Amino acid sequence: MTPSKIRHRESTLWQRRYWEHRIRDDRDFAAHCDYIHYNPVKHDWVQQPVDWQHSTIHRFIAQGIYPANWTMAEPNP
């Protein structure tokens, strides 16, 4: 905990500022889903997206949205 977080009674879970983005179209939605599913790999928490047990990628695969072996090159932020 930093002195600023203590002073403002903030936890380390939520960030002070947030980023808001309106999804523009199907392509933008797909890009955001890819980013979310790849994020645990990007941060070296798992080797591949399906290894992250809390991910919605498992539902996406079961629904046929992603192939079972889905992986991708690191997306652009």
Side-chain angles (χ1 to χ4, degrees):
M1 292 288 279
T2 65
S4 175
K5 286 187 183 267
I6 293 169
R7 186 172 52 253
H8 290 100
R9 301 175 123 191
E10 296 173 343
S11 71
T12 57
L13 181 62
W14 303 109
Q15 62 188 25
R16 190 173 296 168
R17 295 177 193 91
Y18 63 91
W19 177 73
E20 183 178 349
H21 174 77
R22 181 176 173 193
I23 301 296
R24 295 180 300 265
D25 53 27
D26 288 342
R27 183 173 168 222
D28 191 33
F29 179 74
H32 279 78
C33 288
D34 290 350
Y35 176 83
I36 290 167
H37 291 132
Y38 190 78
N39 214 29
V41 177
K42 176 181 172 183
H43 292 284
D44 293 324
W45 296 334
V46 292
Q47 293 294 313
Q48 49 190 337
V50 295
D51 294 339
W52 188 248
Q53 66 180 357
H54 308 290
S55 178
T56 55
I57 195 169
H58 306 289
R59 186 175 0 148
F60 278 50
I61 291 171
Q63 293 174 346
I65 298 169
Y66 283 7
N69 61 347
W70 184 85
T71 189
M72 62 178 287
E74 186 171 338
N76 295 324

